[in-house]
Amino acid sequence: MNTVNILAEKKILLGVTGGIAVYKAVELCSKLVQARANVQVLMTRSAQKFVQPLTFGAMSGRPPITDLWQLYQGDKIGHVTLAHEADLFIIAPLTAHTLARLAQGMADGPITATALSTRAPLLIAPAMESNMWEHPATQANLQLLVGRGATVVGPEAGRLASGKIGRGRMTEPAVIQEHARMVLGRTGPLSGLRITITSGGTREWVDPVRFMGNRASGKMGVALARMARDQGAQVNLIYGAMSVEPPLGVNLVEAIRAEDMLRATLDLLPDTDILISAAAIADFRPVTTHGSKLKKESGRGIQLERTPDVLKAVAEQRAKLGMPKLVVGFAAETSDLITNATRKLESKSLEMIVLNDITAADAGFGVDTNRVTILTRDGAAETLPLMDKEEVAFNILHRIRGLLGAQSIGWSPGIGSVISS
Ligand code: CTP
């Protein structure tokens, strides 16, 4: 894996079966193509009644396969070639009928024949009328596919084509795309590793209305969690206040105050191989949290006390547990950058610290980009150019793997510049 975008260059088969949700499959196809995947669409006859193959052809740059016999061309048997080369087979929407045919192992159309021939993971997004979905026959068929390793996304509850409210709507394309990333990443370079990431900012309550907080958006922690998930890690995301949605497929633990971050982090330590502390954790909290809203007349200043230093507590536990194997911190600095970050690296017993200059307008809090310097215990300090937070996350994870002494993940060096070592 040598790219931040796990979908890039992947060979994805998109099977489209006939239901009103076919229009959403057009959007899914478009999203996958925009993510630079090579998409080959296969359609059943009934799918073509909802949307012309031309639409998918224009979108994917390849004519869709609409007929089993279209697959037998020249000296190659098309469905076998397609099936063998595929990285992932998505069927969205999947009707009750094709689900039944897949469960029975039939090969009477391009989608079912290809599904039998491929060893690529199967991701299905069923969509049908709610009674059909709930029918024991459909559920039994579904269990057969799940038992054979298929990943099922949806269906969702909501308003159906029949006008009824019920479960049967196809999951939104953006969500299916996230699942596609997850399935593709399952056997990635971090598979087998448990990574705990803290993200966002803490809030220390003054009264039920007011808190002491900070500008952290959670974007860096979320990017790390998503990238680690895409590389096969089992991810815990301990999150405080965030302005971004956490990614799918990670274990979420909410922790609003520094004290909550401490408890959540320590609880997960025995099951954590790598801890990345990206959260902006408060250093002070009000001595008293008032149970009712403070009146302005009573405002005589807020007395503060120190909060626990989570990473220092981790260092103590780690000495007893032998876990995590590796701890990474962040240093948000405004001056004496390297000196301050190096001091934190040592005082918090970290293997790596990611330093960012929060005075820069295009890096740090709230923005989508970051410019970081990665410092390690051997004294190396590597400054990466300004990049998207997902790229920063990718680089951090790559270097973590390097420290773990694991096999190279194929990242070509040269993206960063070593400023001292
Ligand atoms: N951190 C922590 N517990 C705290 C505060 C911070 O574990 N109470 C972690 C952060 O998640 C980060 C690292 O320590 O990984 C450095 O955080 P930073 O705010 O830069 O430094 P502080 O230790 O808070 O020191 P200072 O505010 O004096 O710079």
Side-chain angles (χ1 to χ4, degrees):
M1 185 188 302
N2 57 3
T3 171
V4 175
N5 172 13
I6 191 170
L7 289 164
E9 314 302 333
K10 290 290 185 319
K11 292 191 171 76
I12 297 181
L13 300 173
L14 175 59
V16 182
T17 73
I20 192 70
V22 172
Y23 77 94
K24 286 192 189 172
V26 176
E27 193 190 333
L28 175 61
C29 179
S30 163
K31 281 184 170 301
L32 295 170
V33 171
Q34 281 176 49
R36 295 191 284 119
N38 297 318
V39 183
Q40 173 65 62
V41 175
L42 303 105
M43 299 176 80
T44 59
R45 264 202 305 279
S46 33
Q48 295 166 60
K49 293 200 195 295
F50 289 90
V51 171
Q52 288 290 317
L54 183 65
T55 309
F56 284 103
M59 198 75 78
S60 65
R62 288 180 185 80
I65 293 162
T66 54
D67 181 346
L68 189 57
W69 304 108
Q70 197 184 331
L71 289 165
Y72 293 89
Q73 282 173 352
D75 56 352
K76 282 190 173 165
I77 303 173
H79 73 88
V80 174
T81 312
L82 273 180
H84 287 186
E85 289 179 349
D87 295 301
L88 175 66
F89 194 1
I90 305 176
I91 309 181
L94 173 63
T95 57
H97 181 60
T98 302
L99 172 60
R101 285 154 70 223
L102 289 170
Q104 293 312 310
M106 295 172 92
D108 54 348
I111 293 177
T112 50
T114 308
L116 270 190
S117 316
T118 193
R119 292 296 172 265
L122 180 64
L123 174 59
I124 56 174
M128 62 196 73
E129 201 272 325
S130 57
N131 282 352
M132 292 173 90
W133 171 250
E134 284 159 14
H135 197 284
T138 303
Q139 289 303 313
N141 289 333
L142 188 78
Q143 287 319 311
L144 279 175
L145 291 193
V146 171
R148 292 176 201 148
T151 301
V152 186
V153 185
E156 312 299 327
R159 191 178 183 281
L160 304 172
S162 61
K164 249 179 79 175
I165 305 290
R167 188 150 181 230
R169 287 171 65 86
M170 187 177 108
T171 301
E172 289 307 311
V175 176
I176 299 175
Q177 188 183 17
E178 280 296 292
H179 282 274
R181 289 175 60 141
M182 260 189 270
V183 173
L184 284 167
R186 240 184 241 155
T187 52
L190 295 174
S191 59
L193 287 173
R194 295 159 302 174
I195 306 191
T196 297
I197 298 164
T198 69
S199 180
T202 53
R203 288 180 173 176
E204 303 299 332
W205 297 96
V206 174
D207 65 22
V209 183
R210 305 175 182 100
F211 58 81
M212 292 169 58
N214 58 62
R215 290 177 55 206
S217 62
K219 285 182 178 173
M220 195 60 241
V222 163
L224 278 161
R226 197 166 182 232
M227 281 289 125
R229 177 206 72 186
D230 280 3
Q231 294 183 20
Q234 203 181 307
V235 179
N236 297 306
L237 182 68
I238 302 173
Y239 68 99
M242 299 203 297
S243 62
V244 285
E245 286 294 314
L248 288 172
V250 307
N251 175 40
L252 295 173
V253 182
E254 195 182 23
I256 289 294
R257 303 165 307 160
E259 193 65 45
D260 305 326
M261 282 272 169
L262 174 72
R263 194 166 319 119
T265 307
L266 293 183
D267 281 354
L268 284 167
L269 275 198
D271 300 314
T272 297
D273 297 304
I274 300 161
L275 172 69
I276 308 178
S277 183
I281 305 169
D283 293 321
F284 295 95
R285 65 183 167 211
V287 172
T288 312
T289 298
H290 296 271
S292 52
K293 189 185 167 202
L294 281 180
K295 290 289 166 203
K296 45 176 151 319
E297 293 77 34
S298 64
R300 263 169 284 133
I302 299 163
Q303 238 198 318
L304 300 178
E305 64 183 7
R306 287 289 297 269
T307 55
D309 187 306
V310 177
L311 286 179
K312 284 190 177 162
V314 165
E316 281 168 28
Q317 282 298 308
R318 196 182 176 192
K320 296 179 206 150
L321 288 171
M323 295 284 272
K325 294 176 190 142
L326 206 134
V327 182
V328 178
F330 272 70
E333 303 295 343
T334 52
S335 60
D336 300 325
L337 311 182
I338 300 276
T339 312
N340 283 333
T342 306
R343 198 167 45 230
K344 286 176 192 172
L345 179 77
E346 283 161 11
S347 67
K348 294 178 192 248
S349 307
L350 310 173
E351 274 70 34
M352 180 192 287
I353 194 154
V354 182
L355 158 69
N356 61 311
D357 175 359
I358 51 169
T359 57
D362 51 6
F365 293 127
V367 293
D368 291 329
T369 49
N370 215 348
R371 188 186 293 102
V372 302
T373 299
I374 297 176
L375 290 91
T376 41
R377 292 303 281 260
D378 57 5
E382 183 183 9
T383 297
L384 305 181
L386 184 74
M387 51 176 80
D388 190 77
K389 282 185 174 166
E390 290 212 342
E391 282 178 79
V392 175
F394 184 86
N395 274 275
I396 292 170
L397 293 171
H398 173 67
R399 281 152 185 82
I400 286 174
R401 274 181 51 80
L403 287 184
L404 280 177
Q407 210 185 325
S408 162
I409 60 170
W411 174 258
S412 55
I415 192 160
S417 56
V418 177
I419 57 165
S420 75
S421 62

